[in-house]
């Protein structure tokens, strides 16, 4: 396997797995804290059970998220030493703060998981909230570091030298807000839908309906609120990308030629050789509007960039279409759910709505993966946008292919075990958490 | 501000060696425990490290972040030439961390435990072994920036007698720390005696491996003897460590768990101090006699300032919480079942 491709594949694989583990580890504590709050307020034992069941999931995902994150902090150097040599001191600020946030999260998790009946109950609840808040903070900080790669700031690049370094400016680069907002909402939507989907399935199967209904409601409300808000942040991101990384936007949209009142292409098969899109649906003027808020504005096409600076169009375009499509589907389910909550309570008990949620279980995570593909592939061939090429950053050590195969095996076995364990957690619900109807308060 | 960062770096390495080390050691002890005692050992070590093990491993992250933010050339050089041991250590970290969690959070306790347990125990051995190899290689003068073939550049940079013996020494130290720690974690006499025996065995192993480190340093022409005995700090530290070791052996049966822990921690601290003091601020020593120094190869001034501030502010939040966590769970032992 080609070394450069192997390094990129290994990085993609590691990030692809880490993002799932860490999203769940970051968001589920909030679900847990809500269930815990209900328990403390209402004294209903079912909420205590939901909290405990979820906390086991949190422990599993936190551990896998933490180790895969540790791996990433080393892989940055193992695979991209030239990048880290220059970028480390510039974009390191969010990483050092993230270390703090993550440390607090680990401590708080120790208190929360082992603290039942040992501390003041509100202090115990509070440590659970801290797990969520510090997890979210570390997520935001890491994304801010990634945003710097898309929107390098806080230094001057003169004759191959990185001078006048300002780590604070680097952290608050132009992309940090839009990227972090988009990712945080995505994490809530994806985890909400995934958790809701699993509980929905159990309700359909008429197993421990009371337990699963309570769980479902908390997860579904979180997921649906995030899914409805997400398009707003998507719009902020689109305008931002259009301004900062026009080549990425052009690749996302397979927009080959610069033009005024550019049309939005939905679907289709990009043909980079002949610079056209086959079978796509084109909505006139909409791309101009989405990029610049004006139907007649000019949108930069790929023709403005030399061929060697263009990102791969088909991958970026497909990934973007998939992300948007899945996001829309989740939004549609969310509207149905809110409508049911508001006007049609009977829908909530009907199988078809639950089945929709079951079908939507993986959508959020597929969208997250697709979204990261857009961010990362769309930035190519740059590792630091317009400053350093990815190919120049790769490690000189040959044989990364073997490392890639090893990590692939590792991550896939890990994923298999985690799925297997979650299956067993759910299977054990009747034994561990279910109570006869009369015992329910 | 540079010195603040360096102190934090050294302290995180020390704390990782002490806390993470005891953590690894627990797995190493499990590996060297007879079948009959395995279940009891597992239970004891789970009670001991369950609530704090996630936090123990944060010190490694802190050290790595300090390295890549503050000393990027050192980080990238080590990443390139020590790629292979770093990768193996990482695989060990993944395997260990997940196996530890899985075996305790798997809802069904069945044959799967036979998968998690050995993974946990073996990776507890492999991870500190390679950590030691990495530390040994950094100062061994085997990293050759001019090497033009795979073996010299990426294999012999870390595979030699010195690094291997440092690896074994690290493993023995971890086992020793864990055994001493566990003496105070059990209230039945049988197990207490068992952990005392383990502590002695690992102590002897550490002395043997320590001698191997010296022997191999002679073979590899590494001035270790001069580093350790060629200066007053080294001599005092080693003498203090040796004396405290005698006290530790004397007190082992007296049941003063906390004093034993402090003594063991003190010894390891002294070892790290002596082995790093003399070649400070050089952290990587190269084949051509050159070195990568914490002073000369530090990052931009503004970066170091920001990093130091981040570390100082971070500690205000972290340290009290961490102390309270350890204090709370030392005060009253956890039930095995967390429910």
């Amino acid at each position: 396997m080609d070394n450069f491709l192997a390094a990129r594949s290994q990085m993609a694989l590691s990030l692809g797995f880490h993002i799932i583990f860490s999203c769940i580890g970051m968001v589920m504590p909030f679900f847990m804290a809500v269930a815990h709050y209900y328990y403390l307020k209402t004294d209903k034992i079912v909420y205590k059970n939901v909290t405990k069941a979820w906390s086991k999931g949190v422990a599993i995902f936190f551990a896998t998220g933490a180790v895969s994150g540790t791996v990433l902090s080393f892989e940055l150097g193992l695979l991209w030493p030239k990048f880290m040599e220059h970028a480390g001191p510039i974009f390191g600020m969010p990483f050092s703060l993230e270390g703090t946030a993550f440390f607090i999260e680990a401590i708080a998790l120790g208190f929360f998981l082992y603290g039942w009946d040992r501390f003041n109950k509100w202090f115990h609840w509070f440590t659970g909230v801290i797990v969520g808040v510090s997890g979210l903070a570390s997520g935001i900080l890491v994304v801010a570091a990634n945003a710097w790669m898309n929107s390098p700031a806080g230094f001057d690049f003169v004759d191959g030298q990185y001078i006048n370094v300002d780590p604070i400016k680097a952290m608050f680069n132009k992309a940090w807000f839009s990227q972090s907002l988009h990712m945080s909402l995505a994490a809530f939507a994806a985890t909400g839908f995934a958790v809701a989907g699993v509980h929905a399935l159990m309700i359909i199967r008429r197993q421990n309906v009371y337990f699963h209904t309570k769980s479902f409601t908390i997860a579904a409300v979180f997921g649906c609120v995030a899914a409805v808000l997400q398009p707003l942040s998507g719009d902020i991101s689109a305008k931002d990308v259009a301004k900062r990384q026009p080549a990425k936007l052009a690749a996302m949209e397979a927009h080959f030629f610069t033009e005024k009142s550019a049309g939005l292409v939905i679907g289709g098969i990009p043909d980079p050789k002949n610079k056209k899109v086959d079978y796509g649906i084109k909505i006139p003027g909409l791309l101009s509007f989405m990029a610049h808020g004006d139907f007649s504005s000019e949108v930069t096409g790929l023709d403005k960039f030399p061929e060697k600076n263009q990102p791969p169009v088909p991958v970026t375009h497909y990934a973007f279409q998939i992300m948007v499509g899945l996001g829309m589907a989740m939004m549609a389910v969310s509207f149905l759910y809110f409508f049911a909550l508001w006007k049609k309570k009977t829908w909530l008990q009907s199988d078809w709505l639950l089945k929709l949620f079951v079908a939507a279980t993986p959508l959020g995570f597929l969208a997250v993966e697709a979204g990261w593909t857009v961010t990362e592939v769309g930035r190519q061939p740059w590792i630091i946008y317009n400053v350093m090429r990815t190919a120049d950053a790769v490690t000189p050590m040959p044989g990364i292919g073997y490392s890639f195969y090893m990590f692939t095996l590792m991550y896939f076995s890990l994923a298999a075990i985690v799925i297997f364990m979650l299956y067993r957690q759910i299977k054990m619900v009747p034994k561990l958490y279910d109570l006869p109807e009369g015992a329910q308060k | 501000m540079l010195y603040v960062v360096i102190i934090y770096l050294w302290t995180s390495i020390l704390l990782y060696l002490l806390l993470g080390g005891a953590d690894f050691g627990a797995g190493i002890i499990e590996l060297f425990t007879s079948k009959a005692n395995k279940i009891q050992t597992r239970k004891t070590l789970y009670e001991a490290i369950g609530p704090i093990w996630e936090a123990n491993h944060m010190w490694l992250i802190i050290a790595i972040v300090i390295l890549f933010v503050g000393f990027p050339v050192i980080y990238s050089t080590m990443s390139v030439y020590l790629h292979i041991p770093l990768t193996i250590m990482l695989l060990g970290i993944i395997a260990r961390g997940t196996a530890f969690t899985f075996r305790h959070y798997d809802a069904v306790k069945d044959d799967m435990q036979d998968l998690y347990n050995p993974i946990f125990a073996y990776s507890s051995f492999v991870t500190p072994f390679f950590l030691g190899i990495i530390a040994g290689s950094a100062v061994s003068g085997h990293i050759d920036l001019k090497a033009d073939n795979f073996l010299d550049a990426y294999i012999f940079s870390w595979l030699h007698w010195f690094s291997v013996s440092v690896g074994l020494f690290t493993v023995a130290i971890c086992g020793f720390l864990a055994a001493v720690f566990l003496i105070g974690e059990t209230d039945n006499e049988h197990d207490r005696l068992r952990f005392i025996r383990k502590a002695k065995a690992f102590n002897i192993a550490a002395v043997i491996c320590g001698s191997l480190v010296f022997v191999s340093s002679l073979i590899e022409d590494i001035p270790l003897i001069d580093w350790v005995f060629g200066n007053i700090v080294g001599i005092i530290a080693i003498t203090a460590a040796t004396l405290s070791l005698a006290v530790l052996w004397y007190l082992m049966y007296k049941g003063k768990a906390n004093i034993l822990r402090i003594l063991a921690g003190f010894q390891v601290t002294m070892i790290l101090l002596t082995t790093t003091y003399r070649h400070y601020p050089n952290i990587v020593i190269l084949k051509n006699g050159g070195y990568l120094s914490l002073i000369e190869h530090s990052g931009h001034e503004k970066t170091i300032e920001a990093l130091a501030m981040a570390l100082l502010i971070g500690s205000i939040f972290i340290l009290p919480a961490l102390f309270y966590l350890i204090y709370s769970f030392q005060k009253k032992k956890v039930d095995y079942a967390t429910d």
Side-chain angles (χ1 to χ4, degrees), chain A residues 76-235:
Chain A
L76 283 171
L78 291 173
L79 301 172
W80 315 105
K82 275 280 162 294
F83 164 67
M84 286 306 282
E85 195 171 315
H86 297 294
I90 308 172
F91 84 152
M93 192 65 192
F95 281 112
S96 19
L97 295 174
E98 194 260 350
T100 302
F102 194 43
F103 212 138
I104 292 169
E105 191 183 356
I107 295 170
L109 193 68
F111 274 115
F112 184 78
L113 289 178
Y114 298 84
W116 286 95
D117 307 322
R118 312 192 79 205
F119 301 102
N120 169 303
K121 62 181 186 174
W122 286 107
F123 173 77
H124 181 227
W125 175 79
F126 178 70
T127 61
V129 174
I130 293 293
V131 174
V133 171
S134 50
L136 185 61
S138 57
I140 290 172
L141 288 161
V142 166
V143 174
N146 174 272
W148 178 84
M149 294 161 73
N150 287 316
S151 173
F155 67 100
D156 292 317
F157 187 61
V158 183
D159 299 330
Q161 298 290 316
Y162 297 75
I163 53 170
N164 300 330
V165 169
D166 183 344
I168 309 286
K169 237 187 198 162
M171 180 163 74
F172 295 112
N173 58 74
K174 288 193 177 122
W176 87 270
F177 178 74
S178 62
Q179 268 194 237
S180 297
L181 178 69
H182 202 55
M183 183 63 229
S184 305
L185 285 171
F188 274 94
T191 311
F193 269 83
V195 174
V198 171
H199 291 291
L201 181 67
M202 302 314 288
I203 301 171
I204 292 173
R205 292 190 177 165
R206 301 285 175 262
Q207 286 174 4
N208 319 103
V209 174
Y210 190 62
F211 173 91
H212 287 297
T213 307
K214 298 290 179 202
S215 314
F216 172 82
T217 309
I218 296 172
V221 168
F222 266 106
C224 290
V225 169
V228 169
L229 294 176
Q230 188 64 306
L232 298 175
S233 98
D235 183 57

Side-chain angles (χ1 to χ4, degrees), chain A residues 13 34 52 77 110 156 180 183 201 222 251 258 284 373 389 401 416:
Chain A
L13 177 84
V34 169
K52 284 206 168 177
D156 292 317
S180 297
M183 183 63 229
L201 181 67
F222 266 106
T258 306
T373 308
R389 283 173 177 273

Side-chain angles (χ1 to χ4, degrees), chain B residues 131-156:
Chain B
L131 186 71
I133 285 189
I134 291 158
S137 311
V139 296
S140 67
H142 278 71
I143 293 176
D144 183 0
L145 301 186
K146 292 219 167 63
D148 53 1
N149 64 76
F150 186 82
L151 286 177
D152 284 336
Y154 305 112
I155 301 287
F156 298 136

